[in-house]
Structure formats: C-alpha cells, structure tokens
Amino acid sequence: MFFVFRLILFFLEFDYFYSVPVIERPSIFLQSFFMGFRFDLVISSYIMLLPSFLLLLFYQLNLQNRIIYFGIKIYLILLFSISFLICGIDLTYFQHFFSRFSIASLRWADSPLFMFKMIFQEVEFWWVIIPTVISIYIFAKLMNRLVFAKVDPFVKTHFTTKTRITTIVFSLFTIALIFFGIRGRLETKSPIRVGTAYFSNYAFPNQLGLNPVFTFLRSYLDANKDKAEHFNFIDPVLALKNVQYYLGRSGNINSPIAQNINSDSINSTPPNVVLVIMESMSAAKMGRFGNPDNLTPFLDSMANNGYSFDHIYSAGTHTFNGIFSTLFSYPALFTKHPMKTVEIPKFNGIGSVLKQHGYSTVYFTTHDDQFDNVGGFLRGNDYEEIISQQDYPSSKVESTLGVPDDFMFDFAIPKLNELAKKGKPFLSVMMTASDHGPYVIPEYFTPKANDVKKQVVEYADWSIKQFVKNAKKQPWFNNTLFVFVADHGAFMDAKYDLPLSYNHIPFIIYAPNLIKNPTAYTNFGGQIDVFPTIMKLINLPYTNSTFGVDLFIHHRPYTYFCNDDKLGIINHEYLFIYRKNSNSSLYKYNETTVNDYSKTYPAIADSMKTYAFSNLQAAQYLVEKGILK
C-alpha cells in the first residue's frame, strides 16, 4: 500500500524525472524506491510490534479467544488506515510545499474549523479521497480474509518440551526481525533517519524515498523536543559579537544590537506608508524575474517606476513568518511561532516607531484577525485599529479566507481618508489572501490564463492596480509610500529540496511623486530589512534594535531564510542549505548541475553557516531575555 502511494507521487511529479541526467535515472529512482521500502518497513514494524508480541505471548500462554483476535484486528486496521490517510494527504501537501507531510501542516491546529473549511473548500484536494478509501478498504478486506479467516481461537496447543523451545525461539526471532525493521538499517550506530534518504544530489528522488508517516512522526517528536530544548548553534555571547560586526553596531544600554539613526534634518511632512503584504507572491510569478505568462503587468510596471530590490528573501514559508519579520525585523526561528505566546512581547517594530512620531496605525486583513493570533499581537504592538472579516458585510465573505482582495482595498480607501483628515500621517498594513486556496475569483474579473493558479495571480495584480488607481484620486496619494512585499513565495521549482521560489520575493517601493530616480537594487536582503529601508525614506530619527538593515546603504554578504526544518543562506553565487535532519550542502545555484561544493569550498560553507547561525542564535537569545528595544 505504501508503495502504491509512492508510485502515485512519482507519476504526479513525473516532470522531475527529467531533472536527473539520463544515465543516472535508472539507478537513482530504483534506489529511491528501495529507500522507500526501508522507511515503509520502519512504520509497518512499529505498528506490528505490539500485536506481534501479544500474539506470540498469548500463544505461549494458551490464551486464544475471539476478543483478543478481534482487538488486534481493529488495532491494525485503525493504525494502518490512519497511515494511509496521511499518505493521501501527503500527495497534495507535497505538490504545494515540495516536502513530505510534517508537523508544519498543523500550524492551524488551534483553529481546526478554519483549517477544515479551507481544506474542503479547495476542490483540488478532493481527489486524494479515492486512493485513500480504496487502500483502506482493500487492507481491511485482506486482514479479514488472509489473516484471521483460518484461525480457530478455541483450539488449545499441547506443548512438548521440544515444541515449546522451538516456538520460543521462533517468537524471539520474529520479534528480533521486527526490531530490525524498526531500525531500518544495518549500520551499528543509529537507526534510520530522515537524512538517510538524502543519498543523491537530486531533490525529488531524495524526497520520494521518504514515508510521510515517518516524517510526520519524526517532526512531531522534534517539535516537542524543541519546545524544551532551544537550538544551540553557537555561544550566544559570540553570536551577539558576530552580529554586531555584521551589522556594524556597538549597541547601547538597552540592546547590544541597537543603533541610533539620526536624520540630517527632521522631515516636517513625513509621508504616509501603505505596506501591502501579498499572499504567496513569489518573484517567480513576475515578468520582471523571467515569468513568460504576463501575470503581473502592474507590479512589473511599479517595479520599473520605483525602487525595486531584486534579491529579497522571505524569512520563512508561512504567513505568520512574513507578517512578523516584515513588521518587526526579526528572523524566523525554524518552526517557532513568534506570535503565539502567552504574554505578548513588545517589539520595536515599524508600528511602534511611527506611532511615537505621531502616526496613526491600522492593519487590514481579509479574514479573521485572530487567526495566528495576529490581531492580538499587533494590538499589543501599537497597531491602533485592526480591520478584519467582522468589519465587512457578511454578504461579501466568499470563503474561509474572507473577502476578495479588491473588496478589502475598496473598503480601505474611506478608512484611510478618515485617518488623513486627522492631520497626521498614517501607517496602513494590508495582508491579502486571494492567492491562496481555496481560490475565489470574482465574476467581474476576467482572467486570460486557463490555469486557476495563474488566474488568481492575475486577479491579485489587478486588485492592486485598482487600489492604486483609486488611491491616486485621494489627496493623500502624493505624499504616500506604497510598499509591496510578499509574505512568502510559492512552490514553482524543485532544483533543491529547499525551493528558492518559496523564499525569493519582490520588494517594491512605489511613490511617483517622491521617487525621482527609479532604481533597481541588486544587493541581497530579506523581509527583516523592509522596516529600516522604509525609515530611510521617511527620514525620521529612531533606534534600530532589530536584525534589519537599510538596504540603500548596507550590503549584506549573504541573506538567510528558514523553510521549517531547513535553513538557506544565499549570495550571488552560492546557496548553502543546512538541514536539521541531514547533511548540509553548498551549491552554485546558477549552474545547471546540482553538485555539492561543501567539501570543495569548506571556508565558504563555514562563513555562510556562521553568518546565519549567529543571527538566529542572537535573535533567540534576545527574545528569551526580553531585550527587544
């Protein structure tokens, strides 16, 4: 059954078959399926251990009755059915994340109704029900027919000394085989791990060999371990010294990474800021970055007529990562959720800084603001007003993700007019959602593409165009910075097991009345740099106690980003991937090959790793100590 699900995944993602050179394909994919057998054996052995032990024990004790056999049958059917269900879910999960099913899928477990609505409103997910139900049905039938049909539970065994010894030896041998299956490998040191599957330089064959039940359970155990044991990459004191050096800061009495940013002259008319965080807007969706489908003509146009930072990477791969890192300039710390805390910490983010300078602050979202605890967290960090689904007419709510993007934008215009009438500048943060399943495209928009995933990108771009068009009619437009950045990208390539399209995102600043010399910047940066870069244009003094830098003047040697259990560090030539459960790799990502250069250039690999580890370790330390000002 596990093999069948793996075979389905192989054919679903058959395009990646051609990512492996012709001469290597037979051996690579045969090894993938053999590796898969090993992981399947591990899960099967874990499930079989208890019933096998009980059957052998009861046999020795002559305790054989129908209740025992019925209980064991139900146990096996239940656990294998759950396993097949996970395999079915994994088929769509992999298509979305290019990763096997893991605990990351339960990010929304505290909002189960929201999660299930979003899943079942996405028709694209429904087809996995078929192989899942068929596999469970066949397995249950086989269990009844092949395993229990010929068992007479009332026949007592009459042991002689010889048969007793023989059956005990057989029983011990059977249990030993199951323990061997649980280990999954012959090596004497450690049992099979996720990293064992990474036998080649090719991302898809490595992923294909994994079992999603194994990856889910392993990630669950690791997540529970992480709650009690924080990562310890490097000594925190050394990490802070490294970060001070990287950022060019000496700190102050409040924070070791603080830097006072002073303006040559105080801006008497500071601009408004409209910061739009776009759902799943990978750079790979834009024509500016090589997409041939002309899906984002308006975003491309704004990039050409404003400031465009073309080598920007999201901090993580989840919306909460994008919101948190963009607004507070702190990196994502692997799977940790920074906004789900018992007490809401006070960060020195863009909302707090601008509010201190007299700005009004407002946050717009299309759906429930309590999702991911965003509303409460932002209210605790100086966002005065949160506009969410409860504020919109119920008739406009199209799905679990609330209202369409263009309705949120239309709804925002009069709200921003009200703020402008107060006679002081405003910060408006807007989080879109339409480019996320379940996809809802309003009837009044006519896309050109046939693929719904391309259609929603067209719609998202059109919605932004309508918003800017309406904003131009307002008196506050000429003194407003429009900032566009994505919460994260989307899975659109699979050269590596850390798809760059999931983290490479646009960062555009558009203000036709304020930007006289449109410029494209090629230095590397991340979402954490959005806040300090905006502050450069606002030209007001503040204290930067974050991990972000002003990209107009600062050139990072690398930028870094998380993808759940992986960490990427990148510059113009190299991509270093740190894997928590496997070996690290160094790639020249501009090459067509996927050679690992980590042993060829160990100094480069070590420099990149130290840069990222220092920043993450220092961030964890400052958050834990509450040193955030």
Side-chain angles (χ1 to χ4, degrees):
M1 295 296 180
F2 288 138
F3 169 79
V4 169
F5 279 104
R6 182 169 290 103
L7 199 61
I8 293 173
L9 180 62
F10 174 74
F11 284 111
L12 280 175
E13 308 293 342
F14 193 72
D15 286 347
Y16 300 125
F17 178 76
Y18 301 104
S19 66
V20 179
V22 176
I23 194 171
E24 296 184 64
R25 284 174 194 166
S27 61
I28 289 290
F29 283 99
L30 281 174
Q31 193 165 349
S32 287
F33 278 92
F34 176 69
M35 186 68 70
F37 167 76
R38 293 171 63 182
F39 278 96
D40 298 344
L41 183 64
V42 171
I43 296 302
S44 300
S45 298
Y46 267 113
I47 295 175
M48 289 297 297
L49 179 60
L50 178 61
S52 299
F53 174 77
L54 292 177
L55 283 170
L56 295 168
L57 177 64
F58 292 153
Y59 181 78
Q60 294 294 332
L61 298 176
N62 256 329
L63 296 175
Q64 302 182 61
N65 62 64
R66 295 190 183 279
I67 295 176
I68 292 173
Y69 282 101
F70 180 77
I72 290 174
K73 180 177 72 171
I74 296 301
Y75 169 90
L76 290 172
I77 291 175
L78 178 62
L79 264 67
F80 275 106
S81 295
I82 293 173
S83 299
F84 300 150
L85 177 61
I86 290 175
C87 289
I89 295 171
D90 174 71
L91 294 176
T92 56
Y93 186 84
F94 188 88
Q95 286 184 300
H96 191 70
F97 292 103
F98 195 69
S99 178
R100 304 312 290 267
F101 193 61
S102 71
I103 193 67
S105 62
L106 301 183
R107 292 266 174 244
W108 307 321
D110 60 340
S111 304
L113 182 60
F114 187 97
M115 178 175 67
F116 284 115
K117 278 185 177 179
M118 189 159 60
I119 290 173
F120 287 109
Q121 286 176 357
E122 183 51 70
V123 179
E124 194 174 283
F125 294 156
W126 291 5
W127 69 270
V128 300
I129 296 173
I130 298 173
T132 304
V133 171
I134 290 175
S135 63
I136 293 172
Y137 175 79
I138 292 175
F139 182 78
K141 277 288 191 181
L142 291 173
M143 286 292 293
N144 281 317
R145 183 172 298 177
L146 300 180
V147 181
F148 296 103
K150 297 182 179 180
V151 173
D152 187 346
F154 297 106
V155 175
K156 298 295 182 181
T157 303
H158 299 285
F159 291 103
T160 64
T161 301
K162 184 177 180 179
T163 57
R164 174 72 74 177
I165 294 174
T166 301
T167 55
I168 289 175
V169 170
F170 174 81
S171 299
L172 293 174
F173 179 71
T174 301
I175 296 297
L177 281 178
I178 293 176
F179 273 109
F180 171 75
I182 287 173
R183 281 185 55 81
R185 61 192 303 189
L186 290 169
E187 293 86 343
T188 57
K189 288 186 178 180
S190 64
I192 198 168
R193 301 181 184 277
V194 170
T196 309
Y198 287 74
F199 66 90
S200 74
N201 288 327
Y202 306 104
F204 179 62
N206 292 345
Q207 297 274 7
L208 186 64
L210 290 165
N211 179 297
V213 184
F214 185 95
T215 56
F216 177 78
L217 293 175
R218 183 70 264 167
S219 64
Y220 175 79
L221 294 172
D222 289 344
N224 283 340
K225 182 180 178 182
D226 287 343
K227 289 178 181 178
E229 299 179 20
H230 301 296
F231 54 78
N232 294 290
F233 294 135
I234 186 173
D235 178 73
V237 176
L238 177 59
L240 284 169
K241 287 183 178 179
N242 288 343
V243 171
Q244 287 176 328
Y245 171 74
Y246 298 144
L247 302 181
R249 300 177 191 170
S250 56
N252 61 24
I253 191 171
N254 295 316
S255 170
I257 63 168
Q259 179 184 25
N260 293 325
I261 309 296
N262 297 310
S263 303
D264 295 333
S265 60
I266 300 298
N267 190 346
S268 59
T269 57
N272 308 300
V273 178
V274 174
L275 172 54
V276 180
I277 304 176
M278 303 175 290
E279 172 65 50
S280 302
M281 185 57 75
S282 172
K285 294 179 178 181
M286 294 180 59
R288 182 178 186 83
F289 299 97
N291 190 298
D293 298 321
N294 194 32
L295 303 177
T296 59
F298 188 70
L299 281 174
D300 291 329
S301 172
M302 287 195 296
N304 292 331
N305 291 281
Y307 294 136
S308 178
F309 299 86
D310 292 341
H311 292 287
I312 302 300
Y313 288 79
S314 65
T317 57
H318 302 282
T319 297
F320 65 79
N321 295 139
I323 295 172
F324 176 74
S325 294
T326 299
L327 301 184
F328 302 103
S329 291
Y330 261 68
L333 302 179
F334 290 102
T335 58
K336 298 183 186 300
H337 197 310
M339 294 190 286
K340 286 184 179 178
T341 55
V342 177
E343 295 183 1
I344 296 176
K346 189 71 176 291
F347 286 84
N348 194 39
I350 188 171
S352 297
V353 166
L354 292 184
K355 185 178 179 183
Q356 291 167 12
H357 281 289
Y359 276 65
S360 299
T361 54
V362 60
Y363 176 84
F364 293 86
T365 182
T366 64
H367 54 77
D368 182 13
D369 69 291
Q370 293 306 304
F371 183 64
D372 273 334
N373 196 37
V374 172
F377 192 88
L378 294 184
R379 285 188 181 93
N381 278 275
D382 292 321
Y383 285 81
E384 299 166 328
E385 190 173 8
I386 307 294
I387 306 297
S388 63
Q389 182 172 321
Q390 64 185 4
D391 299 293
Y392 307 128
S394 58
S395 60
K396 298 296 183 179
V397 176
E398 300 282 354
S399 72
T400 313
L401 296 177
V403 299
D405 288 353
D406 71 297
F407 183 83
M408 178 188 73
F409 286 136
D410 286 344
F411 192 87
I413 293 292
K415 294 287 183 181
L416 299 183
N417 287 338
E418 290 177 14
L419 295 179
K421 289 177 181 178
K422 293 181 179 180
K424 59 181 184 177
F426 60 78
L427 164 68
S428 171
V429 179
M430 301 176 173
M431 180 70 230
T432 71
S434 290
D435 197 358
H436 189 296
Y439 301 120
V440 176
I441 301 175
E443 295 180 356
Y444 47 80
F445 175 74
T446 305
K448 297 177 182 178
N450 295 320
D451 182 352
V452 67
K453 290 185 177 180
K454 293 181 180 180
Q455 291 175 348
V456 294
V457 178
E458 291 183 80
Y459 166 68
D461 183 75
W462 175 83
S463 297
I464 291 171
K465 179 180 179 179
Q466 296 304 113
F467 171 58
V468 174
K469 181 180 178 181
N470 289 337
K472 284 183 177 180
K473 302 174 184 177
Q474 313 309 320
W476 45 264
F477 176 83
N478 288 335
N479 193 38
T480 299
L481 297 173
F482 291 85
V483 182
F484 299 89
V485 67
D487 61 343
H488 53 74
F491 170 46
M492 298 181 69
D493 65 57
K495 190 175 181 180
Y496 309 105
D497 55 318
L498 188 157
L500 290 179
S501 63
Y502 231 126
N503 292 93
H504 186 200
I505 59 172
F507 173 25
I508 301 165
I509 302 177
Y510 178 73
N513 196 54
L514 302 176
I515 298 175
K516 303 304 181 183
N517 297 302
T519 307
Y521 293 86
T522 59
N523 47 318
F524 276 70
Q527 284 172 328
I528 59 174
D529 302 318
V530 170
F531 161 34
T533 303
I534 293 174
M535 290 303 298
K536 174 70 172 182
L537 298 177
I538 294 176
N539 195 29
L540 290 173
Y542 76 106
T543 298
N544 185 1
S545 54
T546 75
F547 287 78
V549 298
D550 172 6
L551 292 175
F552 288 112
I553 59 175
H554 189 103
H555 290 257
R556 291 182 178 274
Y558 323 104
T559 194
Y560 54 95
F561 48 90
C562 287
N563 188 321
D564 290 333
D565 61 344
K566 303 180 189 72
L567 174 65
I569 307 100
I570 195 169
N571 65 5
H572 285 286
E573 184 175 6
Y574 294 101
L575 169 66
F576 181 84
I577 299 178
Y578 166 78
R579 305 177 181 92
K580 292 177 70 174
N581 298 307
S582 184
N583 296 328
S584 300
S585 302
L586 180 68
Y587 302 107
K588 291 185 177 181
Y589 65 95
N590 293 313
E591 293 183 346
T592 56
T593 60
V594 287
N595 296 324
D596 181 3
Y597 291 97
S598 57
K599 294 181 179 178
T600 308
Y601 306 113
I604 294 174
D606 185 65
S607 173
M608 299 179 84
K609 181 171 65 175
T610 301
Y611 184 84
F613 281 6
S614 296
N615 278 278
L616 296 186
Q617 194 74 55
Q620 177 181 265
Y621 176 82
L622 295 180
V623 170
E624 289 178 346
K625 297 297 182 181
I627 306 173
L628 307 173
K629 290 294 184 181

